[in-house]
Amino acid sequence: MRRAVCPGSYDPLHKGHVEIIARAASMYDEVIVAVSTNYAKKYRFSLDERLSMASETLSYLRGVSVEPMGDGLLAEYCRSRGAGVIVKGLRSSQDYHYELPMAHMNRHLAGIETVFLAGENSYSHVSSTLIKEVASLGGDISEFVPKAVLSRFRNGGPAPESASG
């Protein structure tokens, strides 16, 4: 069985993420969406909320599961799940230059390959940070986020918090 991991904080999940995960699902037998937490970051949504939004949004995709990544190295997480591939979406050359050293390190540490998928042009300007900023200023994000995410924003959702809080 060919198993891949699509890692990210997904705070929040947006349609660019969904597009990459759906394409990965068409390429691999199983795709694990590994929701990570960086304790130095401040998150808009808790880990449980991010897991819930991703599960609700991605439930239509065959072979896709959502789980917390937990602590530790991504390479070790992949090895523990029997995944030989990490799938990362790229919006620009800046993303590539950021991701490339990590891809080399993951291959060095655990023999895990990284597959880069070029993101759909219509989402090349979309990031979770930008989504949160636009939403906080009252802008319309409905074109860029799945319904599960939009409803959390419209219902007020949780206040920004630190990952440790």
Side-chain angles (χ1 to χ4, degrees):
M1 176 180 283
R2 297 175 314 146
R3 182 176 295 149
V5 171
C6 288
S9 60
Y10 302 111
D11 185 45
L13 181 77
H14 56 71
K15 289 182 179 179
H17 293 134
V18 174
E19 186 257 336
I20 293 296
I21 294 164
R23 287 171 48 206
S26 74
M27 298 168 64
Y28 297 95
D29 299 316
E30 184 180 347
V31 175
I32 301 168
V33 176
V35 181
S36 64
T37 297
N38 176 342
Y39 295 100
K41 275 186 168 183
K42 291 189 183 257
Y43 288 94
R44 172 71 167 84
F45 296 99
S46 70
L47 176 60
D48 286 343
E49 195 75 8
R50 290 180 282 137
L51 289 164
S52 176
M53 289 185 289
S55 294
E56 186 177 330
T57 299
L58 301 169
S59 64
Y60 75 97
L61 292 170
R62 185 186 63 75
V64 173
S65 60
V66 177
E67 61 182 57
M69 191 177 104
D71 296 330
L73 294 171
L74 175 58
E76 290 303 319
Y77 173 84
C78 291
R79 188 184 338 219
S80 75
R81 297 303 186 273
V85 174
I86 297 166
V87 176
K88 299 292 285 189
L90 300 179
R91 295 169 294 185
S92 67
S93 62
Q94 289 173 324
D95 284 352
Y96 176 76
H97 290 293
Y98 176 79
E99 296 289 349
L100 187 61
M102 290 185 282
H104 288 305
M105 186 59 75
N106 287 325
R107 186 173 55 232
H108 172 80
L109 291 172
I112 306 294
E113 293 294 342
T114 301
V115 172
F116 296 120
L117 297 179
E120 180 64 42
N121 279 340
S122 58
Y123 301 122
S124 65
H125 64 290
V126 178
S127 70
S128 294
T129 300
L130 187 57
I131 295 284
K132 290 183 287 193
E133 184 176 344
V134 169
S136 73
L137 296 170
D140 181 12
I141 59 169
S142 61
E143 187 177 336
F144 306 109
V145 298
K147 289 177 186 175
V149 174
L150 186 61
S151 69
R152 298 316 193 283
F153 273 104
R154 286 190 173 155
N155 293 331
E161 62 179 47
S162 70
S164 60

